[in-house]
Every structure is written in C-alpha cells, then in structure tokens.
C-alpha cells in the first residue's frame, strides 16, 4: 500500500491493537530536504497532531525526530535528503504506552531515532492503536509505502505460510492454482499482478 501525504491529512486504517507490541515497517520518501512532515499512529483518523500518540517528524532542519511526551527529539541525529526512500521501523508497546523508532538510509545501517519514547502527552490515556496518519505543511509531499504492519499481539494467532499447488513455476498456458494454509479459519488475499 502506498499513499502520498500532503497538506490534507491522510489516514490508513490498521487493525485495532489493544495489547502486545505493534511492529510496523514502512518507507518514507520526502519531496524536499527541508520538509515538515508528520507520520504517526493513534486511535482515530487524525485531523490534528494532537490526535496522534506516536509521531515521527521529517523536520525543517533536515533531521528526523520523534515525539517524546510533550516535545520532539532524537536519540541519534539522522539527516535526510529529498527523494530518498528511507525504511522506518516502529515498535509500539501498547500497555506501556511507549515506542521505538529506527530509520535506515538505502545501503545504510539502522539508526535509532527514538528509544522508549512516551506517547504524546495529549494521548497518554489511549488504550489502543488503530490508525496510521500523515500530513505535510505547505506544498511538499512525503510518499509512504507500507511494508509490514505486524505485531506480537498475544491475542492474535500467527498464520502459517501459504502453500501453492502446483509449486511456483512458469507456465505458458492457463493453469489452476490452489493456495492453502494450515491455519484454520485464515483468509488468504492475493493479486494477479504481482
């Protein structure tokens, strides 16, 4: 899933997580080197920064920061450049109401931006995370590509990898394919265009 954050709030619904750890990985590509963009998580579709508990900021000073309670800061300074895809991993501890953020430049090593940061002060009492929202200030944009929204939620069963029959191979004529998993009750979604 890909969406473009601009000056109008964009929200992506995710499953509601009210326990465990929500782990999310996505790519973010800022359109300018001094953009003011916020990517965050909360329990409602955000129309204001204060609606988000977890906030990652591409700041106007050219660095990436995260919100820790009432202010933005970074454990390590990370400078960003325009039109570069950065991989961001966020781990949210729902019960403890804190989170970690790492960011990785293409070909680089992960840099810790936030470690054990508290939810935004206005959202300290929320008990679930169900929305990912983003916005930019002005005419710049930030393209966000979701890679994985997973979790270590103890209330959710992990689904076994699907099996394909026949096994993956090239075919030059129409062929029927069966997709199955050992997880009872699981729903399998697929595309025909890769």
């Amino acid at each position: 899933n890909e969406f473009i954050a601009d000056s109008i709030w964009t929200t992506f619904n995710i499953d509601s997580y009210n326990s465990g750890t929500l782990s999310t990985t996505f790519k973010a590509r800022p359109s300018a080197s001094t953009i003011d963009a916020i990517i965050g998580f909360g329990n409602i579709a955000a129309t204001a920064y204060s609606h988000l508990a977890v906030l990652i900021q591409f700041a106007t000073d050219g660095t990436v920061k995260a919100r820790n309670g009432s202010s933005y800061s970074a454990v390590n300074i990370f400078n960003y450049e325009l039109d570069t895809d950065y991989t961001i991993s966020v781990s949210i501890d729902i019960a403890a109401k804190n989170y970690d953020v790492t960011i990785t430049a293409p070909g680089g090593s992960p840099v810790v931006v936030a470690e054990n940061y508290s939810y935004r002060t206005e959202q300290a009492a929320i008990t679930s995370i169900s929305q990912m929202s983003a916005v930019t200030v002005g005419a710049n944009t930030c393209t966000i590509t979701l890679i994985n929204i997973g979790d270590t939620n103890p209330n959710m069963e992990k689904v076994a990898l699907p099996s394909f029959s026949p096994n993956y191979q090239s075919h030059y004529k129409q062929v029927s394919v069966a997709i199955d998993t050992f997880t009872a009750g699981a729903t399998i979604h697929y595309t025909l265009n890769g």
Side-chain angles (χ1 to χ4, degrees):
N1 291 324
E2 181 176 284
F3 60 93
I4 297 176
D6 56 22
S7 61
I8 298 172
W9 282 93
T10 302
T11 297
F12 181 79
N13 296 316
I14 58 177
D15 289 334
S16 183
Y17 293 87
N18 55 20
S19 64
T21 301
L22 168 60
S23 297
T24 303
T25 304
F26 57 92
K27 288 189 182 283
R29 184 175 61 247
S31 68
S33 57
T34 56
I35 194 171
D36 188 2
I38 294 289
I39 304 163
F41 298 85
N43 65 350
I44 63 171
T47 57
Y49 300 130
S50 60
H51 293 160
L52 299 170
V54 172
L55 296 94
I56 299 111
Q57 178 188 40
F58 281 83
T60 57
D61 66 0
T63 65
V64 176
K65 300 173 184 171
R67 183 82 177 210
N68 189 9
S70 62
S71 63
Y72 290 95
S73 63
V75 172
N76 295 293
I77 295 172
F78 185 92
N79 295 299
Y80 68 90
E81 298 175 3
L82 71 116
D83 291 329
T84 302
D85 284 319
Y86 296 101
T87 301
I88 300 174
S89 295
V90 182
S91 179
I92 306 169
D93 185 329
I94 305 297
K97 301 179 187 311
N98 60 39
Y99 66 102
D100 302 328
V101 176
T102 62
I103 185 166
T104 308
S109 298
V111 175
V112 175
V113 172
E115 188 170 35
N116 208 28
Y117 273 27
S118 299
Y119 283 4
R120 183 184 178 105
T121 307
E122 296 89 336
Q123 294 296 318
I126 69 168
T127 58
S128 66
I129 299 288
S130 61
Q131 310 286 323
M132 179 181 184
S133 300
V135 70
T136 63
V137 175
N140 295 315
T141 62
C142 187
T143 303
I144 300 163
T145 306
L146 297 174
I147 297 172
N148 178 50
I149 296 182
D151 74 294
T152 53
N153 187 331
N155 298 324
M156 295 184 72
E157 178 183 359
K158 298 295 181 199
V159 176
L161 288 174
S163 61
F164 296 82
S165 178
N167 288 332
Y168 175 80
Q169 54 190 311
S170 296
H171 295 277
Y172 299 100
K173 61 180 181 170
Q174 186 172 351
V175 64
S176 294
V177 176
I179 307 171
D180 198 7
T181 181
F182 290 108
T183 306
T187 302
I188 298 173
H189 299 273
Y190 63 93
T191 65
L192 298 176
N193 63 357

